[in-house]
Amino acid sequence: MGRARVSPSLHRAIPLLSTVALLSALTACGDGGDSTGAVKTSAGPSSRTTAPATTGTASPTTQLDSNEPTSVDTTGPATQTGSSGGRCHTSELRASIGRPSPGAGQRNFPIVLTNTGDRTCGVRGYPGAAFVDGSGKQLGPDPKRSPDSPTTVTLTPGRSAWAGLTFASPEISGARTARPAALLVTPPDERDPLKVAWTAGEVPVAGNESSVFLTVVQPGTGG
């Protein structure tokens, strides 16, 4: 049987296929592959850039946009006047009349409020005051308030504050007078009064120059 003839076009294709196979092998080796064509994995760092993970903490080089408003928290611990636990209640105080301080045609008496409780508290403003007779009936109108600027007086246990009670001497003013049995003193911002015996004689209750005045509370006993 004779040898099969190979067409001229097949002869041309064989060298071409051999060339393609050779180039493929060289390319595989250039990419880290071995002679079998398998690609080797590089142990070096990847050429791809990976962004760092976000932790929620700004980088020291992070800058704020100058067009964005910034705010600073300036709120500190809250402070309270008389951080003491609030105002003094009637049940925590004792009222008394201090030593009188006579002036030119005036009679002046300090109304003293002393903290008898076991906590620190505060008093602020004007106390209430009313002269009463033995049956508890009020004598004369309520005292007027002198134009003062009130401040909070903080009282630790045992400490005192005082407010001035003043009126013109009845002998000079000619006002109608009465002799009170007691003075009812109501601490600032309270409703319940404290009863103090009155031993300082006649007080004006009606007529010209009969007004009685009160000042705001101040630290001390007024003595």
Side-chain angles (χ1 to χ4, degrees):
M1 182 177 229
R3 178 180 297 178
R5 296 181 59 190
V6 179
S7 66
S9 60
L10 183 59
H11 277 292
R12 288 193 299 270
I14 291 173
L16 180 60
L17 292 174
S18 299
T19 302
V20 171
L22 178 62
L23 288 175
S24 298
L26 291 175
T27 300
C29 292
D31 287 340
D34 54 18
S35 59
T36 65
V39 177
K40 295 180 180 180
T41 302
S42 173
S46 171
S47 61
R48 181 181 302 170
T49 301
T50 302
T54 301
T55 62
T57 303
S59 167
T61 59
T62 301
Q63 296 182 352
L64 294 175
D65 186 343
S66 59
N67 293 325
E68 293 182 0
T70 60
S71 61
V72 179
D73 184 8
T74 58
T75 58
T79 57
Q80 182 178 357
T81 303
S83 53
S84 44
R87 74 172 187 268
C88 298
H89 299 295
T90 301
S91 60
E92 301 172 296
L93 298 170
R94 180 183 72 249
S96 60
I97 305 298
R99 185 172 58 184
S101 175
Q106 296 285 322
R107 292 186 181 179
N108 306 296
F109 301 87
I111 299 175
V112 182
L113 295 172
T114 303
N115 182 0
T116 59
D118 57 3
R119 72 179 182 103
T120 300
C121 57
V123 290
R124 178 186 178 90
Y126 300 86
F131 292 110
V132 296
D133 61 17
S135 64
K137 180 182 177 181
Q138 181 169 337
L139 301 173
D142 292 335
K144 297 181 180 180
R145 293 179 173 181
S146 298
D148 298 314
S149 298
T151 58
T152 298
V153 180
T154 301
L155 301 179
T156 56
R159 303 292 291 188
S160 300
W162 69 280
L165 175 79
T166 182
F167 53 84
S169 299
E171 296 86 352
I172 298 175
S173 68
R176 185 165 64 85
T177 65
R179 185 181 294 272
L183 177 69
L184 299 183
V185 178
T186 305
D189 298 318
E190 290 292 299
R191 294 180 179 273
D192 298 326
L194 298 166
K195 188 175 182 178
V196 184
W198 182 262
T199 59
E202 302 284 326
V203 300
V205 294
N208 296 333
E209 302 298 329
S210 63
S211 295
V212 179
F213 290 89
L214 280 171
T215 67
V216 297
V217 292
Q218 306 168 59
T221 59

